[in-house]
Amino acid sequence: MSNVQSVAVIGGGVVGMCTALALQERGLSVCVADPHDMSRQASWGNAGRIAVESSEPPASMATLAALPQSLFCGGGPVALPPRSIGTWLPFGLRVLAASTPRRTARGREALGSLLSMAVPAWRKRLQAIGASHLLVESGHYSVWESGERSAKGRAAWQRNTGSCTVAELDADEWKTLQNA
């Protein structure tokens, strides 16, 4: 048993406050530090989005197939600098080993189960700390560049949506977006 009695949590957003509550429930004294600078908060960096809709595990053949177009040198978010090969290569090999169809299916099942409980758990936690306003359930739009990409994108969403629903815009909704 650790003899830690107090903890500082950096960030008073959804994750920070829920972490602080969980630590308090374990008997620790908790101090939450939050500079209230939206440009520096983790939620701001992720557009405030908690992604509960995708049960596709990061370790999958689909992710590996998308890697070339995700490379930083091509404008994507993945950087594999040669000087850091000792770090990313062992990790990459573990991802490859975890990307078998059987392991991906097990990961998808586990993620789907966790994601189905995520939003209700966030609601409960935030209500317990009097911060229900921190969770705004408003959904989002996914837009594709072509009919072909749209068909593939919709098929992927319908396979991997966890507990979320997918609906296409009707003509009035589309018109409203175009005029926004």
Side-chain angles (χ1 to χ4, degrees):
M1 180 90 165
S2 172
N3 54 357
V4 173
Q5 295 178 359
S6 61
V7 176
V9 173
I10 310 300
V14 172
V15 174
M17 296 304 283
C18 288
T19 299
L21 179 60
L23 292 168
Q24 280 183 329
E25 289 173 344
R26 287 170 177 75
L28 297 171
S29 173
V30 179
C31 172
V32 177
D34 189 324
H36 295 290
D37 179 357
M38 290 303 289
S39 67
R40 296 184 143 334
Q41 293 178 349
S43 295
W44 178 86
N46 197 38
R49 184 166 176 256
I50 300 171
V52 295
E53 73 284 349
S54 180
S55 59
E56 183 67 22
S60 69
M61 287 300 172
T63 301
L64 294 176
L67 183 62
Q69 65 197 36
S70 298
L71 291 173
F72 187 74
C73 61
V78 179
L80 302 174
R83 71 181 178 282
S84 301
I85 194 169
T87 301
W88 60 257
L89 183 59
F91 174 78
L93 293 173
R94 287 192 306 273
V95 169
L96 181 62
S99 296
T100 65
R102 185 175 72 81
R103 289 184 74 183
T104 298
R106 283 190 4 219
R108 189 178 295 121
E109 184 179 320
L111 278 172
S113 175
L114 289 171
L115 292 173
S116 70
M117 298 180 287
V119 172
W122 285 114
R123 275 190 216 114
K124 182 179 177 183
R125 283 306 203 186
L126 291 168
Q127 185 176 14
I129 60 174
S132 296
H133 66 281
L134 291 176
L135 181 63
V136 178
E137 299 177 58
S138 61
H140 69 276
Y141 298 103
S142 292
V143 179
W144 291 278
E145 298 168 342
S146 69
E148 180 184 338
R149 286 183 183 236
S150 175
K152 287 180 182 179
R154 282 193 317 260
W157 273 103
Q158 290 168 341
R159 275 194 314 273
N160 303 305
T161 57
S163 61
C164 298
T165 58
V166 176
E168 292 193 33
L169 296 176
D170 64 29
D172 290 336
E173 292 168 319
W174 179 241
K175 210 177 278 188
T176 300
L177 282 177
Q178 288 177 315
N179 294 326

